[in-house]
Amino acid sequence: MIKNSARPRGRPRSFDEKQALEAATRVFRSKGYDGVTIDDLVAGMGVGRPSLYSVFGDKRTIFVRALRAYAEAKGALAAKALFSPPTVRDSIAGFLRNAVETATEEGSAPGCLLICVAPLVDDLEVRRFVLDAVAAATALVERRFRDAFDAGEVPSNFPLPARASQVLDLGRGLTMRAQLGTPRKVLLKDADQAADLVLLPPREKAVPDSQAGR
């Protein structure tokens, strides 16, 4: 009997694809999209130039893949922070603290690939991805507010869509401040205070004097 002694063609990869994309994310966060060269990616990802092109593609393709992987991982953490706490106040605070922690993670440049880098990329697919990601995050926060409404945690006149958008705006603001060098400790404190502000009940509309006696 003749045994099949054929071996798989090619050499096994000496790198982990997921880790290489995470490294690419760090490179793009550090230098922005336009400032990154293929040489930067080769050095940062620890992948030879031939393997980089054959496995990951060109710079744009690498960025899009890194952005999608980054957004998926960040979205999972944000959802956990938002829906794990029992109270809406802790949920919003956790969501904003997660934004700060992501923007100040050790080993990466401050900021966020999705908020600080991707919006500056002149590419229709990237722009659409960012808009879709923001819409999905806003819908997630609004869903948490609706749960709070059903539980009686917020009043009947609480503007759910508007406050959900405000939470995202606060998260972006904290992230941008992280990129500018504001210490994590300060940002975490501000995130807690922002959660209290966004949950303030809406003010009643003032009745004009001319209609008060009617």
Side-chain angles (χ1 to χ4, degrees):
M1 179 182 293
I2 301 175
K3 294 183 180 180
N4 185 358
S5 58
R7 297 179 179 177
R9 292 183 179 180
R11 298 166 62 183
R13 292 179 185 173
S14 59
F15 60 89
D16 181 276
E17 195 166 329
K18 180 181 178 181
Q19 291 179 356
L21 283 176
E22 290 173 351
T25 296
R26 291 191 290 271
V27 174
F28 284 117
R29 280 179 63 167
S30 177
K31 296 193 172 187
Y33 179 78
D34 290 336
V36 170
T37 66
I38 289 296
D39 287 339
D40 293 328
L41 292 171
V42 168
M45 297 169 69
V47 178
R49 187 180 289 262
S51 295
L52 185 141
Y53 281 117
S54 65
V55 176
F56 298 100
D58 60 10
K59 171 180 154 179
R60 178 191 177 277
T61 304
I62 294 170
F63 180 78
V64 171
R65 288 188 60 183
L67 180 63
R68 290 183 179 279
Y70 177 85
E72 183 178 352
K74 182 177 179 181
L77 290 173
K80 182 179 179 180
L82 194 60
F83 288 98
S84 295
T87 68
V88 67
R89 193 270 172 201
D90 289 344
S91 291
I92 300 305
F95 181 86
L96 294 175
R97 283 197 301 267
N98 177 71
V100 171
E101 290 163 357
T102 301
T104 57
E105 62 184 343
E106 187 176 355
S108 291
C112 170
L113 191 70
L114 193 62
I115 294 174
C116 301
V117 178
L120 301 178
V121 179
D122 186 16
D123 185 281
L124 185 60
E125 181 183 357
V126 172
R127 188 175 299 117
R128 172 51 57 189
F129 183 85
V130 171
L131 290 174
D132 288 346
V134 171
T138 306
L140 203 66
V141 176
E142 184 176 348
R143 194 176 101 197
R144 182 62 186 89
F145 277 142
R146 292 194 182 281
D147 290 345
F149 175 81
D150 293 339
E153 288 188 271
V154 296
S156 59
N157 63 341
F158 193 80
L160 306 181
R163 293 294 174 87
S165 294
Q166 289 168 6
V167 170
L168 267 292
D169 289 341
L170 288 166
R172 282 192 290 268
L174 291 165
T175 299
M176 294 299 294
R177 288 174 61 202
Q179 188 183 37
L180 293 173
T182 305
R184 172 187 271 212
K185 183 178 180 180
V186 173
L187 293 173
L188 289 173
K189 180 180 178 181
D190 290 348
D192 277 325
Q193 294 179 349
D196 293 326
L197 289 174
V198 82
L199 287 168
L200 289 174
R203 291 188 297 179
E204 298 290 341
K205 292 183 178 180
V207 179
D209 293 339
S210 59
Q211 299 180 10
R214 293 183 183 181

